[in-house]
Amino acid sequence: MAQKTAQVRETAETLAKKQREISVSEFFAKNRHLLGFDNPKKALLTAVKEAVDNSLDACEEAGILPEVEIIIGNTGVDRFLVSVKDNGPGIVKAQIPNIFGKLLYGSKFHSLRMARGQQGIGISAAGMYGLLTTGKSMKIISRTSPRRPAHYYEVQIDTRKNRPEIIKDAEMEVDFAQGTLVEIELEARYQRGRQSVDGYLAQTAIANPHVTIRYINPDGEVIEYERAADVMPDRPKLIKPHPYGVELGVLIKMLKESKNRTLSAFLTGEFSRVTPRVAAEICERAELSEKSNSTRIAREEADKLYAAINATKIMSPPSDCVIPIGEELVKKGLAQVFEAEFYEACTRPPAVYRGNPFRIECGIAYGGRVDGEELATVLRFANRVPLLYQQSACAIHKAAVTTNWRSYGLQQSKGALPHGPLTIMVHVASVWVPFTSESKEAIAHYPEILKEIRLALQECGRKLGRHLRRQRRDAEANTKRIYIERYIPHISESLAEILALKQKETDALTDLLKDILRNSRKF
Amino acid sequence: MAQKTAQVRETAETLAKKQREISVSEFFAKNRHLLGFDNPKKALLTAVKEAVDNSLDACEEAGILPEVEIIIGNTGVDRFLVSVKDNGPGIVKAQIPNIFGKLLYGSKFHSLRMARGQQGIGISAAGMYGLLTTGKSMKIISRTSPRRPAHYYEVQIDTRKNRPEIIKDAEMEVDFAQGTLVEIELEARYQRGRQSVDGYLAQTAIANPHVTIRYINPDGEVIEYERAADVMPDRPKLIKPHPYGVELGVLIKMLKESKNRTLSAFLTGEFSRVTPRVAAEICERAELSEKSNSTRIAREEADKLYAAINATKIMSPPSDCVIPIGEELVKKGLAQVFEAEFYEACTRPPAVYRGNPFRIECGIAYGGRVDGEELATVLRFANRVPLLYQQSACAIHKAAVTTNWRSYGLQQSKGALPHGPLTIMVHVASVWVPFTSESKEAIAHYPEILKEIRLALQECGRKLGRHLRRQRRDAEANTKRIYIERYIPHISESLAEILALKQKETDALTDLLKDILRNSRKF
């Protein structure tokens, strides 16, 4: 290969001039497929999802039973206006521009608490996508109390600086006492089916029986999901990190920045499940004084402290920080959407991955639909949010295909989901759900999470197996009864002819034969 | 479900107090699996990969044939020290802290030019992972010229602020005239095999025949790849965005920020392939004056301009911005690593996705190894960088399994790779490779990219098919010849006995029979 073109040779100096900071908005604008905006169909779903997830989180945090209204209208070729309104606590005026016009800004990232949102990216990214594709601002109306006026904002994200640009800012008369309304116009495509806005809302209703959803789709149809439960789920508790999940470098940083003076106070104050007794045990093992100043722990001492933490037996994190939907409500939710003959659910006890508590629940619905070669359907949820894309990359899918469903009476090919009219629902609840990408579509393959999902599936599977065996036995017994009823009289009559029996004797013989056959197998 | 715990009700005001900015470093520290640091084995690979990719980019930009030395040493249980040294142009002192201690900082993000790095995240993320897991700083030595001293830096990233913290900063005597050395200590695991550092370097040598690599692995073994080509590949040209790939919102932003006064100057100046004639055509179609001030184009006019751009025929982007490896070097590279009986390669002409030029090349090596049921091996490359993880999520894998290999004489199950001793190599070169995550492990499924990969595979496949048919024909002919040689004399002798022929007649008969059989099929 000859050097056909003159090579422009860079030097350290010319290269240095090109170095520049990249704003996080520029980064995600260019890599928008990482956020779920890779195609027009998914873009519509992602925008609705981010807004609805925020609404539900806000309502629950304020102890309000959520009522959410979603309207999607067609505004041109491949263009839609998405509007999402909730009855939540509203947003304080000063926070509106940052929440909607800045990526990586939010209230949930820095705390360990089970919530739908966690990154502070979603809704601003949806607004940014709308702006990039249509040039239109995001519109927000929010009211925090009936005693105060509502605020109206038009916001655009300045991608170069990752900063909101306020286009309009006014007070406004509205017909609701409290809540937030968000409007985004974007390039998108509307399609029905499982991976659509319609599918997402239907599944949201299953996992959130305390929520009322009203949805008007682009065809003008009104779809409503009335709440099935009038009680709010328990509010998940905020927790401190568990010592087992902390790495050496993080420990060093925490020590340096701690406001607790002594090492003992540091350990009990910054971590969950470290009692003064456990702290004393850790210090002794690390050969450090409980009273040593935590900000002055040297690197080698931190090494020892780290080793001591991991060598000391510490109780698992508390479980009231992850709130399951509950077995009854899971079954109720499935029954609302799938007409089946058998429902089962299982909520596992809390478990821990990398120091983060999590809890798995699983529900199954079997039968009711006729299908020959169809595979089971898997519904995936993380902190009550339906996951609709990247199924095969998800830990839930992996656990489902590596479970042996044949032992529960179903057909299954290697590496595939089982055959049959089966719907499997799995919910992963955690203070920090490890997603495989910013678009939060699939859960990473942590071994502890995979194991718990498998255990939950097995528990439901065993019960399904019992049901199917009973069903098969009943079917066999039924066939046999039919045979007996149908053929015994003929046999008796033939015998009667051969043996020249009287009618009375024939009847007695028939009864005798029926008895013998019926008792040949208990049913 | 009863309300067992008291619900802490948040209000708009209490929620507002929790809102905080999240630094991009905090975000990626918590989500480090997005960057390829999800497990200790992969962490080692990712750290080496980021450093080597940077070294190769820097050398090529400066027109220097790259020589890279990688040393990995075991420093404790699950701890390794990675050191990567190159003969590149070095880094200007003032830039070192930002390049290594700040995420989203770099020279490549804002330009459209084919390069290994594109995001400005990789090497700082590797240093951050080292810091988090071992508490150790990243060390950098860089020298820009033999006339100047080398700089030595110890840098830590301040994750809370996404800012470098300089721990040490000094001049240093070194034994090299120019280049950069990076050292990172991290928690990791060393394993051999295809998804290891060893595998990555072997594959790097295939796709970069102009590079010399020296590698000392943790077992102290020295592995060397001498360059196979003494000529630098052409330097990829920088290009401007193509008008077809620009969205309405982006167009509006570009208009607003343009330094070109007239609309005509804006179109020809900011885009590739827009000549004054094309610009005039676009303006006419949009019913806008070529002389109108580009910064004052109103929203509705921008709408029209956008439609006009997409309705006007504009030449494809120039092709010298994506430089392929070349068919000869692809075959040479494969031959260096795989002993096979048949090599073929194909470099496709440039194509475009979303306005970004790209170019596909494919190489195959067939035979040489004995294996029964083994599937073909796929080697994936993006801008000459081997991709080792997430194969099944990658466009290259998808194209390979959806190609019909049976028509080229190979066995293949539905949805699977073909069977046999086949190695498939695919290289995607582009000014912007669309990866499915920040860890750059798989290429997103853009239809244009899938199509081009399939076309390249088909071209190689057809040639493989011809080779296999010829091989089979040769084998059949050979079997026949053996039969002829072995049995004809016996038949002749038997006939001779029956017919009582003389030896001379028998020989003539043998020759006649051989001739008849040989000519029964041409070979």
Side-chain angles (χ1 to χ4, degrees):
Chain A
M1 210 197 297
Q3 301 199 21
K4 275 166 284 175
T5 49
Q7 303 270 342
V8 191
R9 282 173 197 248
E10 301 275 3
T11 63
E13 287 71 27
T14 60
L15 282 171
K17 282 193 197 115
K18 295 187 181 169
Q19 298 288 352
R20 252 187 72 187
E21 194 166 336
I22 301 146
S23 99
V24 65
S25 317
E26 290 177 305
F27 176 76
F28 282 118
K30 208 163 172 182
N31 283 309
R32 68 184 67 144
H33 56 277
L34 299 179
L35 300 175
F37 294 99
D38 23 355
N39 64 61
K41 182 186 166 192
K42 201 162 153 189
L44 189 66
L45 168 68
T46 304
V48 171
K49 197 175 163 195
E50 297 297 349
V52 172
D53 287 356
N54 282 358
S55 287
L56 297 181
D57 271 348
C59 288
E60 289 173 14
E61 283 172 1
I64 299 166
L65 280 169
E67 276 165 36
V68 185
E69 183 179 67
I70 302 102
I71 304 174
I72 306 180
N74 203 326
T75 55
V77 180
D78 289 339
R79 267 206 200 180
F80 293 87
L81 183 67
V82 168
S83 145
V84 176
K85 182 173 158 289
D86 65 51
N87 62 337
I91 301 167
V92 167
K93 182 176 187 305
Q95 291 293 341
I96 294 176
N98 276 337
I99 290 177
F100 295 94
K102 188 180 181 71
L103 297 186
L104 290 180
Y105 187 89
S107 59
K108 300 162 199 164
F109 182 87
H110 291 97
S111 58
L112 282 176
R113 190 200 300 262
M114 176 183 166
R116 293 172 183 80
Q118 52 189 32
Q119 310 178 135
I121 292 183
I123 193 68
S124 317
M128 180 170 81
Y129 176 79
L131 178 65
L132 289 175
T133 55
T134 68
K136 298 287 184 72
S137 314
M138 180 156 35
K139 291 172 187 152
I140 303 110
I141 303 172
S142 191
R143 189 176 195 180
T144 57
S145 151
R147 294 185 308 276
R148 263 161 273 166
H151 302 296
Y152 172 75
Y153 265 107
E154 289 183 18
V155 175
Q156 294 190 352
I157 191 166
D158 177 345
T159 47
R160 191 147 302 162
K161 296 180 183 132
N162 187 32
R163 222 162 53 183
E165 208 179 310
I166 299 166
I167 306 298
K168 213 176 215 174
D169 164 7
E171 289 194 355
M172 199 185 213
E173 290 283 315
V174 292
D175 60 358
F176 54 92
Q178 192 176 298
T180 303
L181 184 151
V182 181
E183 250 186 43
I184 299 170
E185 187 164 352
L186 74 171
E187 209 178 281
R189 195 170 309 133
Y190 173 68
Q191 254 176 328
R192 302 185 185 213
R194 259 186 77 201
Q195 291 186 323
S196 67
V197 174
D198 301 49
Y200 159 73
L201 292 174
Q203 291 192 33
T204 299
I206 298 180
N208 299 272
H210 62 292
V211 173
T212 291
I213 297 170
R214 189 163 181 271
Y215 166 43
I216 307 182
N217 72 18
D219 302 336
E221 293 168 357
V222 182
I223 299 156
E224 280 187 288
Y225 299 94
E226 275 293 329
R227 65 171 58 87
D230 269 328
V231 190
M232 282 285 282
D234 287 346
R235 172 115 209 266
K237 288 240 178 80
L238 193 72
I239 61 157
K240 288 175 191 146
H242 193 272
Y244 284 173
V246 173
E247 285 159 327
L248 176 57
V250 180
L251 180 69
I252 292 173
K253 202 174 135 218
M254 287 176 79
L255 281 165
K256 219 195 288 178
E257 292 172 355
S258 173
K259 286 186 192 106
N260 292 291
R261 284 299 173 82
T262 68
L263 188 53
S264 173
F266 166 76
L267 289 168
T268 54
E270 305 263 345
F271 295 101
S272 80
R273 296 304 199 189
V274 180
T275 59
R277 205 191 46 71
V278 171
E281 201 183 324
I282 294 172
C283 291
E284 201 196 319
R285 192 166 268 137
E287 294 170 345
L288 290 168
S289 160
E290 288 180 52
K291 299 216 172 63
S292 46
N293 184 328
S294 59
T295 57
R296 290 202 200 149
I297 299 284
R299 247 206 58 85
E300 295 75 46
E301 291 169 342
D303 257 339
K304 279 194 206 163
L305 186 65
Y306 178 73
I309 285 174
N310 286 289
T312 304
K313 202 170 150 55
I314 304 169
M315 228 178 133
S316 292
S319 62
D320 52 2
C321 55
V322 272
I323 307 295
I325 301 168
E327 296 180 356
E328 275 321 304
L329 286 176
V330 166
K331 283 197 261 186
K332 221 172 180 172
L334 281 171
Q336 268 191 312
V337 184
F338 300 99
E339 256 188 65
E341 61 187 50
F342 178 82
Y343 298 95
E344 193 49 71
C346 159
T347 300
R348 296 276 313 155
V352 181
Y353 82 92
R354 274 188 61 189
N356 296 315
F358 72 98
R359 206 160 173 176
I360 299 295
E361 49 195 336
C362 157
I364 59 172
Y366 183 86
R369 54 191 160 102
V370 187
D371 45 3
E373 280 304 286
E374 237 174 272
L375 295 183
T377 306
V378 178
L379 305 181
R380 300 174 290 133
F381 295 88
N383 287 359
R384 295 174 182 258
V385 179
L387 311 181
L388 302 187
Y389 279 87
Q390 294 197 30
Q391 166 163 299
S392 57
C394 185
I396 292 175
H397 182 257
K398 185 164 186 200
V401 300
T402 53
T403 295
N404 179 9
W405 294 92
R406 272 165 299 180
S407 61
Y408 312 129
L410 295 175
Q411 288 194 305
Q412 183 184 21
S413 311
K414 215 193 148 188
L417 289 170
H419 285 267
L422 177 67
T423 301
I424 301 166
M425 170 195 163
V426 176
H427 178 218
V428 177
S430 178
V431 296
W432 182 261
V433 181
F435 289 106
T436 61
S437 88
E438 287 88 346
S439 57
K440 307 204 282 183
E441 296 165 336
I443 298 168
H445 290 194
Y446 279 92
E448 299 87 348
I449 296 179
L450 278 169
K451 185 185 149 199
E452 280 294 319
I453 300 175
R454 248 181 245 127
L455 288 172
L457 291 174
Q458 284 164 359
E459 194 171 322
C460 285
R462 274 190 298 273
K463 287 177 185 157
L464 174 63
R466 274 202 290 281
H467 166 76
L468 289 177
R469 276 195 303 279
R470 199 182 312 119
Q471 203 181 40
R472 249 162 243 158
R473 219 159 48 220
D474 288 354
E476 278 167 24
N478 196 34
T479 313
K480 199 163 145 193
R481 192 169 50 243
I482 290 168
Y483 284 173
I484 294 170
E485 302 293 346
R486 190 173 294 163
Y487 299 113
I488 294 287
H490 296 281
I491 295 172
S492 306
E493 272 168 40
S494 311
L495 282 172
E497 258 177 50
I498 296 167
L499 304 174
L501 296 178
K502 287 179 194 144
Q503 186 56 39
K504 212 174 149 191
E505 285 168 315
T506 312
D507 289 349
L509 180 67
T510 306
D511 290 346
L512 184 69
L513 281 172
K514 279 187 180 170
D515 271 2
I516 289 169
L517 276 167
R518 269 188 198 136
N519 293 330
S520 70
R521 196 178 174 293
K522 289 208 164 55
F523 58 89
Chain B
M1 211 196 298
Q3 301 200 17
K4 275 164 284 172
T5 49
Q7 302 271 345
V8 190
R9 280 172 199 253
E10 302 274 2
T11 63
E13 288 71 26
T14 59
L15 282 172
K17 282 192 195 113
K18 294 187 181 168
Q19 298 287 354
R20 253 186 72 187
E21 194 167 337
I22 301 145
S23 98
V24 66
S25 317
E26 290 178 305
F27 176 76
F28 281 117
K30 208 163 171 182
N31 283 310
R32 68 183 68 147
H33 55 277
L34 299 178
L35 300 175
F37 294 99
D38 24 356
N39 65 59
K41 183 186 165 192
K42 202 162 152 189
L44 189 66
L45 169 68
T46 305
V48 170
K49 199 176 161 196
E50 297 298 350
V52 171
D53 287 357
N54 282 358
S55 287
L56 297 181
D57 272 349
C59 288
E60 289 173 12
E61 283 171 3
I64 299 166
L65 281 169
E67 276 166 34
V68 185
E69 184 178 66
I70 301 102
I71 304 175
I72 305 180
N74 203 324
T75 56
V77 180
D78 290 339
R79 268 208 199 177
F80 292 86
L81 182 67
V82 168
S83 147
V84 176
K85 182 174 159 289
D86 65 50
N87 62 337
I91 302 166
V92 166
K93 183 175 186 307
Q95 291 293 342
I96 294 176
N98 276 337
I99 290 177
F100 294 93
K102 188 179 181 72
L103 297 186
L104 290 180
Y105 187 88
S107 58
K108 300 162 200 165
F109 183 86
H110 291 98
S111 59
L112 282 175
R113 189 201 299 262
M114 176 183 167
R116 292 171 183 81
Q118 52 190 33
Q119 311 180 134
I121 293 183
I123 192 69
S124 317
M128 181 171 80
Y129 176 79
L131 179 65
L132 289 175
T133 54
T134 69
K136 299 285 183 73
S137 315
M138 178 156 34
K139 290 171 187 153
I140 303 109
I141 304 172
S142 193
R143 190 176 194 180
T144 56
S145 151
R147 293 185 308 277
R148 264 161 270 166
H151 302 297
Y152 172 76
Y153 264 107
E154 289 184 18
V155 175
Q156 295 191 351
I157 192 166
D158 177 345
T159 47
R160 190 146 305 161
K161 295 179 186 134
N162 187 31
R163 223 163 50 183
E165 209 179 307
I166 298 166
I167 307 299
K168 213 177 217 171
D169 164 7
E171 289 194 356
M172 198 186 217
E173 290 283 315
V174 292
D175 60 358
F176 54 90
Q178 192 175 299
T180 302
L181 184 151
V182 181
E183 251 186 42
I184 299 170
E185 187 163 351
L186 74 170
E187 210 177 280
R189 195 170 309 132
Y190 174 66
Q191 254 176 329
R192 302 186 185 210
R194 259 187 76 200
Q195 291 187 322
S196 68
V197 174
D198 302 47
Y200 158 72
L201 292 175
Q203 291 191 34
T204 300
I206 297 180
N208 299 273
H210 62 293
V211 173
T212 290
I213 297 170
R214 189 163 181 271
Y215 166 43
I216 307 183
N217 72 17
D219 302 337
E221 291 169 357
V222 182
I223 298 157
E224 280 187 287
Y225 298 94
E226 275 293 331
R227 65 173 57 89
D230 269 329
V231 189
M232 283 286 282
D234 287 347
R235 172 116 207 264
K237 288 240 179 79
L238 193 73
I239 60 158
K240 288 174 192 149
H242 192 272
Y244 284 172
V246 174
E247 286 159 325
L248 176 57
V250 179
L251 180 68
I252 292 173
K253 203 175 135 218
M254 287 176 79
L255 281 165
K256 220 194 287 177
E257 292 172 356
S258 173
K259 285 185 193 107
N260 293 292
R261 284 297 173 84
T262 68
L263 188 52
S264 173
F266 166 77
L267 289 169
T268 53
E270 306 262 347
F271 295 101
S272 79
R273 297 303 199 191
V274 180
T275 58
R277 204 191 47 73
V278 171
E281 200 183 326
I282 293 172
C283 291
E284 200 196 319
R285 191 166 269 136
E287 294 170 349
L288 290 167
S289 159
E290 287 180 53
K291 298 216 173 64
S292 47
N293 185 329
S294 59
T295 59
R296 289 201 199 148
I297 298 285
R299 245 207 58 84
E300 296 74 47
E301 291 169 343
D303 257 340
K304 279 195 206 162
L305 186 64
Y306 177 73
I309 285 174
N310 286 288
T312 305
K313 201 170 153 51
I314 305 168
M315 226 179 136
S316 292
S319 62
D320 52 0
C321 54
V322 272
I323 306 297
I325 302 168
E327 298 180 355
E328 276 319 304
L329 285 176
V330 165
K331 284 197 259 183
K332 221 171 180 175
L334 281 170
Q336 267 191 313
V337 183
F338 299 100
E339 256 187 64
E341 61 188 50
F342 178 81
Y343 299 95
E344 194 50 70
C346 159
T347 300
R348 298 274 314 154
V352 180
Y353 82 91
R354 274 188 63 189
N356 297 313
F358 71 99
R359 205 161 174 175
I360 300 294
E361 47 195 339
C362 156
I364 57 172
Y366 183 85
R369 53 194 162 99
V370 187
D371 45 5
E373 279 305 285
E374 238 175 88
L375 295 182
T377 306
V378 178
L379 306 181
R380 299 174 289 133
F381 296 88
N383 287 359
R384 295 173 183 259
V385 179
L387 311 180
L388 302 188
Y389 280 87
Q390 294 198 31
Q391 167 163 300
S392 57
C394 185
I396 292 175
H397 182 257
K398 185 161 186 203
V401 300
T402 52
T403 295
N404 180 9
W405 294 92
R406 271 165 301 180
S407 61
Y408 311 130
L410 295 175
Q411 288 195 305
Q412 184 184 21
S413 311
K414 213 192 151 188
L417 289 170
H419 285 268
L422 177 67
T423 301
I424 301 166
M425 171 197 161
V426 176
H427 178 217
V428 178
S430 178
V431 296
W432 182 260
V433 180
F435 289 106
T436 61
S437 89
E438 288 88 343
S439 57
K440 306 204 283 183
E441 295 165 335
I443 298 168
H445 290 193
Y446 278 93
E448 299 88 349
I449 296 180
L450 277 169
K451 185 185 149 202
E452 280 293 320
I453 301 175
R454 249 182 244 126
L455 288 173
L457 291 174
Q458 284 165 357
E459 193 171 324
C460 285
R462 274 191 298 273
K463 287 178 186 158
L464 174 63
R466 273 203 289 282
H467 165 76
L468 289 177
R469 276 195 303 280
R470 198 183 313 122
Q471 203 181 39
R472 248 163 240 157
R473 219 158 50 220
D474 288 354
E476 276 168 25
N478 196 32
T479 312
K480 197 162 146 197
R481 191 169 50 242
I482 289 169
Y483 284 173
I484 293 169
E485 302 292 345
R486 190 172 293 163
Y487 299 113
I488 294 288
H490 294 280
I491 295 172
S492 306
E493 270 167 41
S494 309
L495 283 172
E497 257 177 53
I498 295 166
L499 304 174
L501 297 177
K502 286 183 193 138
Q503 186 56 38
K504 212 174 147 185
E505 285 167 316
T506 312
D507 290 350
L509 180 67
T510 306
D511 289 347
L512 184 69
L513 282 171
K514 279 187 182 173
D515 271 3
I516 290 168
L517 277 167
R518 270 190 196 134
N519 294 330
S520 70
R521 196 178 176 293
K522 287 206 166 57
F523 58 87

